Amino acid sequence: MTRLGFIFYSMIFLASTVMAGKPTVEEENLYNECDKGNGKYSSCTKLIEILSEKCDSGDMIGCADVGYIMGFELGMREASVAPLDKSCKAGIAESCYNLGIFDIMRRGNIERAFSSYVIACERFTDEKKLLKLKSCELRDALEGCLRDSKDRDPVKCARKAYGKIYQKYDENENSTKE
């Protein structure tokens, strides 16, 4: 897991303190013991169990957290789709953004990726300007891929667009650090 990925998850986990109440001490300890997917497996599975229960009871931040941990931290990508989809439909921009990545790169579901980026583009605030910009550009690029699907493969088009946009912002981010 990259440092940027850890920072992104931390933002989601911290957002849960505002939107759904503070994470319990147990949740914080489990996350630390899980060590972002590199620690105790039993801690990771217990954390997923707790967050899944929250998700099942309607806590959409819990759904976003469990989807992110499963997909990005532990590599359980297929299992992460359902909670990410549920929280995206509830308007959680980070879940829509992550679901869009899976749909483009793993599943080839360009229609749902487009829908996810429509929501992410609308829901990200200026506090998360970079993610908002990426989401809006991906939305526009995927719209073009879907519109031109008779002339070209929309999955290849979407993956190419994702690569260009990711590289563009990655290069911009690296150049501002220097």
Side-chain angles (χ1 to χ4, degrees), residues 48-113:
I48 289 171
E49 180 182 313
I50 291 169
L51 294 173
S52 293
E53 287 175 14
K54 285 183 168 187
C55 179
D56 292 343
S57 68
D59 178 346
M60 292 303 109
I61 296 297
C63 290
D65 288 346
V66 75
Y68 184 85
I69 290 170
M70 291 172 83
F72 287 91
E73 298 287 348
L74 300 177
M76 301 166 63
R77 288 171 183 82
E78 284 303 313
S80 72
V81 170
L84 287 174
D85 186 45
K86 185 175 182 178
S87 57
C88 177
K89 287 177 180 173
I92 306 297
E94 290 86 352
S95 292
C96 295
Y97 184 83
N98 291 328
L99 184 61
I101 293 170
F102 285 151
D103 281 338
I104 292 169
M105 302 308 289
R106 294 286 210 187
R107 305 181 112 223
N109 189 344
I110 307 309
E111 292 85 5
R112 185 170 66 185

Side-chain angles (χ1 to χ4, degrees), residues 135-167:
S135 297
C136 294
E137 282 193 43
L138 284 163
R139 174 204 60 199
D140 296 344
L142 296 182
E143 183 176 36
C145 292
L146 291 169
R147 183 181 54 242
D148 300 338
S149 64
K150 291 180 183 174
D151 299 325
R152 58 184 168 172
D153 180 353
V155 175
K156 285 183 182 180
C157 174
R159 288 179 178 161
K160 185 176 180 179
Y162 175 81
K164 284 182 179 179
I165 292 167
Y166 182 83
Q167 184 177 16

Side-chain angles (χ1 to χ4, degrees), residues 18-74:
V18 174
M19 296 178 75
K22 286 181 144 184
T24 65
V25 171
E26 179 185 23
E27 290 168 6
E28 290 176 1
N29 288 338
L30 287 170
Y31 181 71
N32 290 328
E33 288 173 7
C34 179
D35 190 26
K36 301 76 174 167
N38 297 314
K40 289 175 56 179
Y41 182 74
S42 61
S43 297
C44 297
T45 56
K46 180 67 176 169
L47 182 60
I48 289 171
E49 180 182 313
I50 291 169
L51 294 173
S52 293
E53 287 175 14
K54 285 183 168 187
C55 179
D56 292 343
S57 68
D59 178 346
M60 292 303 109
I61 296 297
C63 290
D65 288 346
V66 75
Y68 184 85
I69 290 170
M70 291 172 83
F72 287 91
E73 298 287 348
L74 300 177

